[in-house]
Amino acid sequence: MSIEPILFYIFSTILVLASAAVVTVRNPVYAALCLVLAFFTCAAVWLLLEAEFLALVLILVYVGAVMVLFLFVIMMLDINLVRAKEGFIKYLPAGGFVAFLILIEMAVVLGPENFGIEVTGEPLKHAADYSNTKELGVALYTHYAYPFEIAGALLLLAIVAAISLTMRRRPDSKYQDPAEQVAVKREDRVRLVKMPSENKQ
Amino acid sequence: MIELLLSIWNLVPEALQTLLIIILKIVVIAVPIMLTVAYITLAERKVIGYIQVRIGPNRVGPRGLLQPIADGLKLVMKEILIPTNANRFLFVIAPLLALAPALACWAVIPFADGWVLADIDAGLLYVLALSSMGVYGLIIAGWASNSKYAFLGSIRSAAQMVSYEIAMGFALVGVLMAAGSMNLSTIVESQSGSFLHWFWLPLFPLFLVYFIAGLAETNRAPFDVAEGESEIVAGFHVEYSGMAFALFFLAEYANMILISILTAIMFMGGWLSPFQGIPLLEDLFSFVPGIVWILLKTSFLLLLFLWFRATFPRYRYDQVMRLGWKVFIPITIAWILVVGVGVMAEIGPWFD
């Protein structure tokens, strides 16, 4: 028996448990860390699928940057857990109904009649010199060049929009300008006042 | 004797054999790293001592050579204090989260031609991904300590690491464009020729940006605002003592060595001899194995780390951020365009 199925089951068990923990643990910092664990094991599963580029980029972008900023915000918030738990029973029916609907929809779309092994066929095993990175690059820059460029332009637009929406000028904040400090002259700072001495009255 | 050992070895199932060999390779890489970390602490104190016209540690052993062992023993014997109301689990796990990525990166580092634990094609990406994980140890340590100074330090270091990672990533993009590969061994081989073929010349701005961003990523002086002992005591590890503190220390120094060896691999020709292509000297030095050259280059870059620490005053926090976002990122983006033109026009001797 090869080692890959064993690894797959270990990683998917951790993935499922970590994802469940994200929504069930009480401490928000633990929840964020469980999400990090879920991303990481997900990357490991993708590695087993020979998608090493996507796996490493998942770690680089989501674990290395996005979740760091999330954790940042969560740690600084002073979340009142008691208030956050209020109304659990009240919202349970509506929430449960939505969750049930999503479950049904996923089962219909992702069920074995659409994605079963008979429909998609067994995934190809590639040789050791197969480079997933290269394949992705070729596909992105030939077949999907225009969608890729459009997506890039949209992301740039989003960056500019986010900055221009949150940027605020604060005229009251004081800061130094070293160039001005260096260029200062004696006349700007010291004023000698000549005045006649006054007699005692 | 040897035959007996061999026959025992052959009895071991094949899957277990591979596993044992991999573990042996990991030990062969990890133990020298740990020893180097121990002796870099001594080298740091000695080098900074000489720069400041002092002698440095000279009491333990001949010329102070046993000082790291004494320091290590001291740290092992000390009690690990856990502050009141600290989150125990995260407090204990944070040093491990800092150390593990620092060591895991070494799996793809080629020490000489073919001397590499995992010769994977996405080596550069692997290094970038794993080194971006190291920041979790710092953030969690700062938060779990339940201390203002630790939290301030961890926020600073997290912001610093996230912003310098971008410049670092762009510098790596330049390297992989020039080499046409993300495999670290292939990157070294594509620099073959002479020391003028090494990438430090065509990628000179990226070389500088990468090394300086590496200084900032490892929170070393002059970018050590995360520790900032004059402002926030010792930053994220202020509440740590004993072995837990030692693990942070190990992680920082292991990261320093990693950045140095990566700079040597990507910009200074890795294990290639600097006398390659020079008629007389090449034959004269051909007996030197590749690992000696890469270790010499790494040692020189490590010396630079220590030299910088003794030379430059600490950056102010807003200046650190300005340098990262407004200076380094534009430089790297502009130079990537230059490299792109160079690769398209096949400008020799680097891009043909």
Side-chain angles (χ1 to χ4, degrees):
Chain A
M1 185 173 159
S2 88
I3 199 158
E4 278 172 23
I6 305 175
L7 286 177
F8 172 77
Y9 282 113
I10 292 175
F11 285 133
S12 10
T13 315
I14 299 176
L15 177 57
V16 171
L17 289 180
S19 318
V22 173
V23 287
T24 50
V25 290
R26 284 161 176 270
N27 190 330
V29 172
Y30 277 135
L33 289 176
C34 284
L35 191 55
V36 170
L37 182 64
F39 280 137
F40 200 79
T41 39
C42 189
V45 173
W46 286 4
L47 269 184
L48 288 177
L49 282 171
E50 302 176 5
E52 78 269 6
F53 181 79
L54 288 179
L56 290 172
V57 166
L58 179 74
I59 293 180
L60 185 62
V61 175
Y62 281 92
V63 178
V66 173
M67 285 313 294
V68 173
L69 299 179
F70 262 60
L71 209 57
F72 224 74
V73 175
I74 290 171
M75 283 176 175
M76 284 198 264
L77 291 177
D78 190 18
I79 300 172
N80 190 342
L81 284 178
V82 183
R83 280 217 11 228
K85 295 256 177 255
E86 267 175 23
F88 180 75
I89 302 293
K90 194 172 134 198
Y91 295 117
L92 188 62
F97 179 64
V98 172
F100 181 70
L101 272 188
I102 292 176
L103 194 72
I104 296 289
E105 281 171 4
M106 280 172 77
V108 169
V109 174
L110 301 174
E113 61 271 18
N114 289 334
F115 281 92
I117 200 113
E118 305 86 42
V119 184
T120 57
E122 196 155 339
L124 280 169
K125 282 267 181 202
H126 295 285
D129 61 341
Y130 165 80
S131 172
N132 168 254
T133 317
K134 196 173 171 184
E135 296 290 316
L136 263 179
V138 167
L140 274 184
Y141 287 105
T142 53
H143 271 291
Y144 301 102
Y146 289 127
F148 186 64
E149 298 277 317
I150 292 169
L154 275 178
L155 282 176
L156 184 68
L157 192 73
I159 294 174
V160 174
I163 292 174
S164 63
L165 282 177
T166 53
M167 181 103 140
R168 48 184 183 141
R169 300 241 171 255
R170 292 175 56 189
D172 55 319
S173 70
K174 298 189 168 73
Y175 49 89
Q176 303 159 313
D177 184 359
E180 231 167 71
Q181 288 178 321
V182 170
V184 77
K185 289 190 292 289
R186 179 179 171 276
E187 289 78 46
D188 302 337
R189 292 289 160 90
V190 187
R191 189 166 56 94
L192 286 182
V193 183
K194 270 221 157 67
M195 56 185 292
S197 59
E198 291 172 16
N199 290 327
K200 209 174 183 184
Q201 289 176 351
Chain B
M1 183 66 193
I2 293 174
E3 278 174 22
L4 180 72
L5 285 178
L6 263 180
S7 59
I8 294 176
W9 179 246
N10 286 332
L11 284 178
V12 178
E14 204 164 329
L16 201 63
Q17 272 185 3
T18 2
L19 189 70
L20 283 176
I21 289 177
I22 290 175
I23 290 176
L24 196 69
K25 282 179 181 169
I26 293 173
V27 170
V28 167
I29 294 174
V31 170
I33 292 172
M34 287 299 158
L35 283 176
T36 320
V37 166
Y39 274 89
I40 279 181
T41 59
L42 178 68
E44 176 168 34
R45 292 164 72 182
K46 278 283 188 189
V47 167
I48 293 179
Y50 286 128
I51 289 175
Q52 296 169 349
V53 206
R54 299 182 283 116
I55 295 174
N58 66 343
R59 292 288 136 181
V60 191
R63 304 180 76 88
L65 276 178
L66 297 180
Q67 183 72 41
I69 295 165
D71 285 342
L73 266 180
K74 185 190 80 174
L75 285 170
V76 171
M77 308 296 264
K78 275 192 168 181
E79 182 187 357
I80 299 176
L81 293 170
I82 297 181
T84 40
N85 290 332
N87 190 317
R88 282 185 85 90
F89 175 67
L90 291 182
F91 187 81
V92 174
I93 209 172
L96 299 176
L97 284 179
L99 184 63
L103 289 181
C105 280
W106 287 87
V108 294
I109 303 290
F111 293 94
D113 202 1
W115 291 21
V116 50
L117 179 61
D119 193 15
I120 58 172
D121 264 342
L124 209 56
L125 208 59
Y126 172 85
V127 167
L128 204 61
L130 274 194
S131 57
S132 71
M133 297 274 304
V135 66
Y136 280 98
L138 273 63
I139 303 185
I140 293 172
W143 185 77
S145 295
N146 191 30
S147 154
K148 289 186 196 69
Y149 294 124
F151 191 52
L152 281 174
S154 75
I155 286 178
R156 282 186 181 192
S157 70
Q160 183 179 327
M161 284 172 97
V162 170
S163 34
Y164 276 85
E165 222 154 64
I166 300 169
M168 225 171 170
F170 274 128
L172 295 185
V173 168
V175 172
L176 75 90
M177 278 167 75
S181 168
M182 289 205 288
N183 185 318
L184 291 172
S185 303
T186 318
I187 290 176
V188 172
E189 273 152 24
S190 64
Q191 300 178 52
S192 179
S194 70
F195 79 98
L196 292 175
H197 286 70
W198 297 352
F199 286 154
W200 66 271
L201 202 56
L203 306 178
F204 192 67
L206 298 185
F207 171 45
L208 291 185
V209 166
Y210 183 79
F211 194 66
I212 299 172
L215 275 177
E217 281 274 292
T218 47
N219 288 320
R220 291 286 300 179
F223 301 105
D224 56 346
V225 288
E227 289 173 34
E229 48 281 89
S230 56
E231 307 155 18
I232 49 173
V233 197
F236 62 92
H237 58 51
V238 64
E239 304 291 346
Y240 280 86
S241 61
M243 217 41 216
F245 169 73
L247 286 186
F248 278 121
F249 217 70
L250 280 177
E252 181 182 331
Y253 282 81
N255 270 326
M256 259 168 71
I257 309 174
L258 185 75
I259 296 287
S260 304
I261 202 165
L262 279 174
T263 315
I265 286 169
M266 291 185 296
F267 297 102
M268 296 171 74
W271 65 78
L272 300 172
S273 158
F275 302 117
Q276 205 180 17
I278 303 173
L280 196 66
L281 287 169
E282 185 178 8
D283 298 332
L284 211 59
F285 282 94
S286 59
F287 70 94
V288 181
I291 187 160
V292 174
W293 290 123
I294 194 169
L295 291 184
L296 275 178
K297 289 166 190 171
T298 311
S299 312
F300 171 71
L301 291 166
L302 278 172
L303 177 71
L304 289 183
F305 268 89
L306 310 183
W307 194 351
F308 289 158
R309 179 169 168 196
T311 311
F312 296 120
R314 182 178 299 136
Y315 262 92
R316 217 172 56 206
Y317 187 69
D318 59 321
Q319 291 170 332
V320 173
M321 284 296 151
R322 196 186 66 95
L323 186 73
W325 288 99
K326 293 189 183 168
V327 179
F328 280 179
I329 293 177
I331 289 179
T332 47
I333 292 176
W335 205 258
I336 284 174
L337 287 180
V338 174
V339 174
V341 171
V343 172
M344 286 303 281
E346 299 188 347
I347 295 171
W350 311 289
F351 303 127
D352 49 5

